[in-house]
Amino acid sequence: LWSAHFSAAMIQQSLVRVGLLAHEVIRGGAVSQQSLRTCVLVHGLLGSSKNWRVPAKRLVESHPEWQVLSVDLRGHGETSVRTKKAQAEGFSPPHTMESCAWDIYSTLQQLGLKADAVVGHSLGGKVALKMLELGVQSGAPMAPRTWVLDSLPGLLTRGGLEAAS
């Protein structure tokens, strides 16, 4: 079910060439780890995974069947600490929404996780939408739920909001 734009080899190559994002996994501990559903939380511009600690802990406390993967996007949080080693770890340019989306797909794959939901705030919302778009175009594993918080889904122009292409 791969689209004409992407082949299975291209997807695999994209996933292999990127590094493991700095991340935090928060689990409630009430159920076995194999049966946990995963919610990926993506921070906004100049943020980090630490921005999500309180909401993540509340989520897993109230819904023990879920775990949370909170990531630091390239150039943010603990992932930015690796900047000097970034090219060796696979975070080479271009630094685009698409690159950020592939970084998250790669991190999920390397951790052996499947996203059941992706929640993005601001810039993270744009990355979440890009993950959804790439999943539709390429057949990459998509989360059945994508939530965007405080982020416009399209391009803002003087005349108003346009659909993003």
Side-chain angles (χ1 to χ4, degrees):
L1 299 175
W2 301 97
S3 76
H5 294 91
F6 295 90
S7 68
M10 287 172 65
I11 300 299
Q12 191 61 33
Q13 183 180 37
S14 294
L15 291 176
V16 169
R17 70 180 167 82
V18 297
L20 180 69
L21 294 172
H23 62 279
E24 186 173 3
V25 178
I26 299 171
R27 297 181 178 101
V31 289
S32 78
Q33 289 183 14
Q34 284 103 5
S35 63
L36 291 174
R37 297 167 76 189
T38 303
C39 177
V40 178
L41 299 178
V42 189
H43 62 78
L45 185 65
L46 304 178
S48 75
S49 60
K50 292 176 183 176
N51 296 109
W52 289 108
R53 279 191 178 153
V54 171
K57 288 177 183 178
R58 288 186 179 159
L59 175 69
V60 299
E61 285 170 1
S62 62
H63 299 282
E65 70 278 11
W66 284 85
Q67 65 182 343
V68 171
L69 171 66
S70 183
V71 298
D72 285 342
L73 294 172
R74 55 174 59 207
H76 292 78
E78 291 298 313
T79 301
S80 72
V81 172
R82 304 179 195 173
T83 300
K84 292 180 182 174
K85 301 186 301 182
Q87 281 196 296
E89 293 187 11
F91 298 112
S92 57
H95 301 298
T96 62
M97 297 296 165
E98 184 171 334
S99 296
C100 290
W102 284 124
D103 292 346
I104 295 172
Y105 274 127
S106 178
T107 298
L108 284 162
Q109 183 184 50
Q110 291 177 65
L111 296 173
L113 299 175
K114 174 183 138 313
D116 296 291
V118 178
V119 179
H121 171 255
S122 191
L123 170 71
K126 300 277 190 189
V127 174
L129 289 174
K130 183 55 77 171
M131 288 179 70
L132 187 62
E133 179 185 340
L134 291 173
V136 168
Q137 290 177 345
S138 69
M142 292 188 321
R145 295 165 197 82
T146 299
W147 298 331
V148 176
L149 311 173
D150 196 24
S151 182
L152 296 172
L155 302 173
L156 190 58
T157 65
R158 286 184 182 206
L161 187 65
E162 292 181 5
S165 57

